[in-house]
């Protein structure tokens, strides 16, 4: 019985140590989540303005094809996959990887991996070709790095090496709700914009020229927004996971403490029984 009590006490100390770690990670994630949420919310107006501008330009073009709306055939797709740099975030990373695997054209695709978990997942995958990796980008966000990604995908597009560009990211809804999402970036569809009412803005030298010039900024804004959304989602998922882990540890400690008290009570009862039996035998 004494050995059993010792084992239970040792396990309680181990769970308490784990709970201290999960609690600390929960507090760190809460702090990072607040800043990440602000950054994501601040990025949305910029993306919305860019999107409206591109839509207005597309309406002025009357459905005319551009280099960004013509996709080569029989070429692989390019996937920009945004995952986390660390684990312990519930199903955050697994949901993105599952969504990627469900896409019919993912096998044989080229991949730009953002985040260490995405790099680890696809660095040696026989199904895809990882052409670039960006660890730590989400936490140390730099527009210059996002512009580098944009130039890279545009080079592939202009060289007719890829047939489409898709971004896999996690959309931040609330601190408790994050949704793995996929966004088709290229080719741009001008069919829906052809029926829009034309604006009174005069584009110089032409709507087509302005449209082609603004696309790199538009793509940079989309990637930047997707990264900020994913980072906020990662912190929200990690905080939720660590909060749940802390709660489970507290329940485990309570259960182990109850088992320890029962074992201690049984040990005391046995000792008292032995003392009484010895006393009776001595009479």
């Amino acid at each position: 019985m004494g050995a059993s009590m010792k084992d239970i006490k040792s396990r309680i100390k181990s769970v308490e140590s784990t709970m201290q770690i999960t609690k600390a990670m929960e507090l760190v994630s809460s702090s990072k989540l607040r800043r990440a949420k602000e950054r994501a919310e601040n990025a949305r107006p910029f993306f919305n303005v860019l999107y409206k501008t591109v839509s207005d330009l597309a309406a002025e073009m009357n459905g005319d094809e551009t280099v960004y709306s013509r996709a080569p055939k029989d070429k692989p797709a390019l996937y920009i996959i945004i995952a986390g740099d660390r684990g312990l975030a519930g199903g955050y990373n697994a949901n993105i990887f599952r969504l990627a695997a469900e896409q019919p054209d993912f096998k044989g695709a080229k991949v730009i991996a953002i985040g260490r978990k995405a790099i680890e997942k696809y660095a040696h995958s026989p199904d895809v070709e990882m052409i670039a990796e960006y660890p730590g980008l989400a936490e140390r966000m730099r527009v210059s790095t996002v512009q580098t990604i944009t130039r890279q995908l545009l080079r592939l597009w202009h060289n007719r090496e890829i047939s489409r560009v898709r971004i896999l990211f996690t959309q931040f809804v609330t601190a408790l709700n994050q949704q793995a999402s996929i966004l088709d970036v290229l080719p741009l569809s001008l069919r829906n914009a052809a029926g829009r009412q034309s604006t009174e803005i005069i584009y110089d030298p032409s709507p087509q020229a302005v449209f082609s010039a603004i696309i790199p900024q538009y793509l940079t804004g989309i990637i930047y927004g997707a990264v900020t959304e994913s980072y906020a989602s990662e912190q929200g998922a990690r905080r939720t996971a660590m909060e749940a882990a802390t709660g489970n540890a507290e329940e485990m400690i309570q259960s182990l403490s109850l088992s320890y008290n029962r074992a201690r009570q049984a040990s005391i009862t046995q000792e008292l029984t032995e003392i009484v039996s010895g006393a009776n035998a001595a009479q």
Side-chain angles (χ1 to χ4, degrees), residues 40 43 47 169 220-230:
F47 168 75
F169 70 106
T220 299
I222 288 179
I223 298 171
Y224 184 94
V227 173
T228 55
E229 291 278 341
S230 295

Side-chain angles (χ1 to χ4, degrees), residues 70 122 205 262:
R70 294 191 298 268
Y122 300 110
R262 287 176 177 173

Side-chain angles (χ1 to χ4, degrees), residues 127-271:
D127 296 332
V128 297
E129 177 190 358
M130 193 171 72
I131 61 174
E133 56 186 61
Y134 295 91
L137 173 62
E139 188 168 1
R140 300 184 300 273
M141 175 68 74
R142 291 184 177 87
V143 176
S144 58
T145 306
V146 180
Q147 290 173 338
T148 300
I149 300 174
T150 301
R151 287 193 295 269
Q152 189 169 18
L153 73 88
L154 286 178
R155 184 171 60 252
L156 293 171
W157 182 262
H158 288 305
N159 292 338
R160 314 295 284 177
E161 297 180 30
I162 52 177
S163 60
R164 67 193 307 191
V165 179
R166 314 185 83 185
I167 300 178
L168 271 69
F169 70 106
T170 305
Q171 185 177 4
F172 180 82
V173 182
T174 65
L176 299 176
N177 185 11
Q178 305 88 31
Q179 297 178 353
S181 306
I182 187 165
L183 180 64
D184 290 308
V185 178
L186 291 176
L188 294 171
S189 176
L190 303 180
R191 296 178 182 177
N192 296 333
R196 286 168 54 95
Q197 184 176 0
S198 177
T199 63
E200 297 180 357
I201 300 175
I202 299 175
Y203 297 97
D204 186 34
S206 66
Q208 289 80 359
V210 177
F211 183 83
S212 297
I214 202 175
I215 289 302
Q217 296 184 27
Y218 174 67
L219 296 177
T220 299
I222 288 179
I223 298 171
Y224 184 94
V227 173
T228 55
E229 291 278 341
S230 295
Y231 184 65
S233 299
E234 179 186 1
Q235 300 308 321
R238 181 170 293 111
R239 192 191 73 168
T240 301
M242 292 301 99
E243 184 179 5
T246 301
N248 291 337
E250 291 176 347
E251 292 179 2
M252 188 177 295
I253 289 173
Q254 292 177 357
S255 177
L256 289 171
S257 297
L258 182 60
S259 299
Y260 177 82
N261 291 333
R262 287 176 177 173
R264 182 170 178 270
Q265 184 177 8
S267 177
I268 293 173
T269 301
Q270 182 178 354
E271 290 177 1

Side-chain angles (χ1 to χ4, degrees), residues 20-94:
Q20 290 177 354
I21 295 172
T22 58
K23 187 64 176 178
M25 293 183 67
E26 178 187 345
L27 294 175
V28 171
S29 295
S30 297
S31 177
K32 289 184 177 181
L33 173 62
R34 184 171 57 254
R35 296 194 299 269
K37 182 181 177 182
E38 291 176 356
R39 188 171 65 179
E41 290 175 346
N42 291 336
R44 286 173 186 169
F46 175 72
F47 168 75
N48 291 335
V49 170
L50 274 176
Y51 181 80
K52 183 179 184 303
T53 302
V54 171
S55 299
D56 291 342
L57 278 167
E60 294 289 340
M61 294 169 61
N62 298 319
D64 294 340
E65 292 290 320
T66 73
V67 66
Y68 298 110
S69 59
R70 294 191 298 268
K73 297 181 179 180
D74 302 326
K75 295 294 183 180
L78 172 65
Y79 278 81
I80 302 174
I81 300 180
I82 306 172
D85 287 292
R86 300 177 182 85
L88 299 176
Y92 169 75
N93 293 306

Side-chain angles (χ1 to χ4, degrees), residues 1-12 260:
M1 187 64 68
S4 177
M5 289 174 58
K6 184 178 180 181
D7 292 341
I8 295 174
K9 195 169 185 179
S10 176
R11 192 175 179 189
I12 289 175
Y260 177 82

